[in-house]
Amino acid sequence: MTIATEKPKTMPTQTANMTKNKKLYIKTWGCQMNVYDSNRMVDILSSLGYKPSDTPEDADMMILNTCHIREKATDKVFSELGRLKPHKEAKEAKGEKMLIAVAGCVAQAEGDFILERAPYVDLVFGPQTYHELPEMVLKANGDDRVVNTEFPEVSKFDFLPEEHTIEGASAYLSIQEGCDKFCTFCVVPYTRGAEYSRTAQEVVDEAKRLVDQGALEIILLGQNVNAYHGTGPDGKTWGLADLCYAINEIDGLERIRYSTSHPRDMDDALIEAHALPKMMPFLHLPVQSGSDRILKAMNRKHKADLYRDIIAKLRKARPDIAFSSDFIIGFPGETEEDFEQTLQLAKDVGYASCYSFKYSARPGTPAANLQAALVSDQIASERLSRFQAVINESQAAFNKSCEGLVMPILFDRKGKKPGQLSGRSPYFQSVYVEGNERLIGSIQNVKITNGFDNSLTGQLELLDGVVNG
Ligand code: 5AD
Ligand code: SF4
């Protein structure tokens, strides 16, 4: 069954009362966009009386917000569902109802299969339908099973509540969704649908509300965030650079970041925008491969040297900038020579951090049909460890080079040890210091004492008469 896309914004009061003070457990996999979506699901379900809970025990509704980007995604969902099932059975034995829902990109890709294989799942819905949650929950509470994997005519952003859950002082803001690039390895164009940009006014208004609620940092999100082209308040089409300038003007906001971008959409205006004071000197710019042959087979539509040029231009616009990237190792047809070109690109850029993945064929993508010249799993694993050795070295060197610097750190939570705080540097490194909990949600200067492989430690500097909190 698929439900209609047109719906009232909120549930009728009677139904809302029926579901007062219910516990909602959400488990989120995958990208920052999924984290943003999960927070928005919390916002929309709070109008039905659902309050977030950290544990699945005794929850009234559980949502698995899933990711389909790399291998074993569906298996992971089924094993998590297997773990949740006893909680549902225990609740039902007490005569109470518990809804189990699968959301996100696995739901989009495998909707009917999930309902068939896991008869205890009540709802399956794709990423473009979250605004329809109240109606879906109503149906599921009324004993109907719901599958909703439509790409509705209307945008969910027009229906989501203005109230916004943010954790700490760093907030995600989704400005663009979907992708029209069709890289041959990637499921996103199929699971998230066609590219869509929110209007600039909507984005700026949401950014202001986030700052009013205490956000010091805003991370603009999109699958292809620098392809953003929303209608501006002046009637012209705004690019990401225009948005960054507008958001830079918001009083009280300290930091702007954006993720994830594509080299083809790094236009000169955006490169220049990196000189803005609130723009953080750190950019995640995935390149995937350093071989022109493989970039072509991936349909990335640019050569490795274009990427090198962009990096050079960004360094000119913002001399203290550092980079991270995504790489896929072992794409079909990758030879030792191709791989060495990838290693070379990574060495040339000298990343501050990096994500690298062994290629996995995703069902329905063009690369999954490339039967010829598959790279054996053994070779792909060997190359991946060689690649990661280079990256780890470059990350460790970058972290080491931070020793002795004083950096503004945004503290977002307690550290692992008692009395410890954890925060993020301008380069998105995790930084641990000793300090008072009341500094969480603030930016403080920290003198970096140690640069480790994956994190930094430091000491709070005297600021506004506060030492060590
Ligand atoms: N196999 C391996 N890695 C993939 N990614 C996307 N699709 C695949 C795939 N089929 C990686 C890319 C992308 C990141 C989010 O996940 O590097 O940038
Ligand atoms: Fe996937 Fe990014 Fe390529 Fe779009 S640009 S198809 S999201 S890898």
Side-chain angles (χ1 to χ4, degrees):
M1 179 195 75
T2 297
I3 67 165
T5 52
E6 303 229 346
K7 51 159 280 298
K9 265 188 168 183
T10 49
M11 283 178 71
T13 342
Q14 198 193 353
T15 321
N17 288 340
M18 271 164 46
T19 52
K20 265 245 152 71
N21 297 323
K22 302 262 177 180
K23 277 198 207 159
L24 170 67
Y25 171 75
I26 303 191
K27 182 173 168 112
T28 308
W29 283 278
C31 61
Q32 295 160 322
M33 179 78 79
N34 264 13
V35 176
Y36 175 88
D37 285 344
S38 290
N39 286 339
R40 302 318 320 264
M41 286 192 251
V42 169
D43 297 333
I44 203 158
L45 287 172
S46 76
S47 64
L48 306 194
Y50 285 94
K51 298 267 174 297
S53 158
D54 290 339
T55 56
E57 287 87 31
D58 215 32
D60 298 282
M61 180 167 180
M62 299 180 180
I63 301 178
L64 302 185
N65 192 6
T66 62
C67 170
H68 205 232
I69 195 108
R70 285 179 297 272
E71 61 186 341
K72 300 202 183 101
T74 315
D75 295 350
K76 278 190 220 159
V77 173
F78 281 115
S79 54
E80 185 66 22
L81 283 171
R83 275 194 288 275
L84 296 182
K85 190 175 164 216
H87 295 300
K88 177 166 173 140
E89 286 166 350
K91 188 119 179 156
E92 281 176 352
K94 291 192 265 172
E96 293 168 28
K97 192 153 178 107
M98 173 190 286
L99 295 178
I100 297 189
V102 181
C105 293
V106 175
Q108 184 67 41
E110 313 265 10
D112 291 321
F113 180 56
I114 295 170
L115 284 190
E116 195 185 304
R117 238 189 86 181
Y120 49 91
V121 168
D122 305 281
L123 302 104
V124 175
F125 49 91
Q128 305 310 337
T129 66
Y130 299 152
H131 58 295
E132 296 172 6
L133 257 174
E135 192 182 1
M136 292 193 272
V137 170
L138 178 63
K139 283 200 186 235
N141 268 323
D143 289 336
D144 270 342
R145 295 179 88 201
V146 175
V147 55
N148 189 1
T149 50
E150 300 289 287
F151 288 110
E153 293 287 301
V154 293
S155 155
K156 64 181 170 191
F157 292 109
D158 296 341
F159 290 84
L160 289 171
E162 284 197 351
E163 301 75 40
H164 210 314
T165 303
I166 68 166
E167 290 163 38
S170 177
Y172 292 132
L173 201 178
S174 185
I175 65 168
Q176 179 280 341
E177 229 187 299
C179 182
D180 296 341
K181 293 267 189 313
F182 291 94
C183 299
T184 54
F185 53 81
C186 186
V187 288
V188 165
Y190 312 99
T191 56
R192 289 272 172 174
E195 217 177 88
Y196 168 84
S197 294
R198 300 174 70 185
T199 67
Q201 194 65 58
E202 246 178 279
V203 173
V204 172
D205 289 348
E206 187 165 329
K208 285 183 181 152
R209 286 198 298 271
L210 290 170
V211 173
D212 286 345
Q213 282 175 63
L216 297 173
E217 172 174 278
I218 289 185
I219 307 179
L220 302 171
L221 293 183
Q223 263 89 31
N224 210 191
V225 71
N226 57 341
Y228 175 85
H229 57 283
T231 309
D234 51 6
K236 295 189 181 135
T237 300
W238 283 28
L240 180 58
D242 302 303
L243 261 191
C244 290
Y245 283 99
I247 291 174
N248 191 67
E249 294 300 311
I250 299 176
D251 283 341
L253 181 69
E254 302 278 343
R255 297 178 161 194
I256 304 171
R257 304 179 189 274
Y258 63 86
S259 185
T260 277
S261 40
H262 192 292
R264 294 246 318 169
D265 295 313
M266 286 308 304
D267 58 33
D268 287 344
L270 184 56
I271 290 173
E272 284 310 313
H274 278 266
L276 283 169
K278 293 183 185 175
M279 201 73 135
M280 285 295 95
F282 180 71
L283 178 63
H284 180 65
L285 189 58
V287 63
Q288 317 295 356
S289 171
S291 150
D292 289 345
R293 236 171 48 80
I294 297 296
L295 287 170
K296 185 152 200 257
M298 288 177 163
N299 194 31
R300 294 288 293 178
K301 299 198 182 87
H302 71 84
K303 297 196 168 159
D305 276 349
L306 178 107
Y307 186 81
R308 286 188 175 85
D309 290 348
I310 293 167
I311 298 282
K313 281 191 198 170
L314 281 158
R315 286 201 160 120
K316 202 161 166 222
R318 183 73 188 242
D320 59 343
I321 198 165
F323 297 96
S324 77
S325 189
D326 292 340
F327 284 87
I328 297 179
I329 307 297
F331 187 79
E334 183 192 79
T335 62
E336 178 62 22
E337 195 187 338
D338 295 315
F339 173 64
E340 276 166 20
Q341 289 170 0
T342 298
L343 274 182
Q344 191 56 51
L345 179 62
K347 286 178 188 163
D348 291 348
V349 175
Y351 290 104
S353 61
C354 204
Y355 300 91
S356 47
F357 313 100
K358 200 158 58 169
Y359 169 73
S360 78
R362 308 308 296 133
T365 59
N369 300 324
L370 293 173
Q371 292 303 335
L374 284 183
V375 177
S376 77
D377 194 53
Q378 189 199 345
I379 293 182
S381 300
E382 272 167 24
R383 287 182 187 159
L384 186 66
S385 10
R386 280 162 68 198
F387 185 80
Q388 288 180 342
V390 167
I391 289 300
N392 291 347
E393 197 179 317
S394 131
Q395 178 172 325
F398 183 77
N399 287 348
K400 198 93 194 141
S401 75
C402 295
E403 289 180 359
L405 298 180
V406 175
M407 289 183 176
I409 306 301
L410 194 166
F411 289 104
D412 50 3
R413 60 200 133 101
K414 287 196 242 173
K416 288 178 200 128
K417 297 181 191 154
Q420 201 185 43
L421 302 177
S422 161
R424 292 284 185 173
S425 77
Y427 299 106
F428 217 61
Q429 296 145 300
S430 292
V431 183
Y432 298 97
V433 304
E434 305 233 313
N436 192 304
E437 260 179 52
R438 71 192 161 81
L439 295 181
I440 293 174
S442 74
I443 295 177
Q444 302 292 334
N445 278 346
V446 169
K447 175 137 188 198
I448 304 302
T449 45
N450 284 299
F452 299 108
D453 289 355
N454 294 309
S455 63
L456 307 177
T457 54
Q459 281 168 350
L460 287 162
E461 288 271 292
L462 181 68
L463 192 74
D464 300 334
V466 181
V467 194
N468 283 343

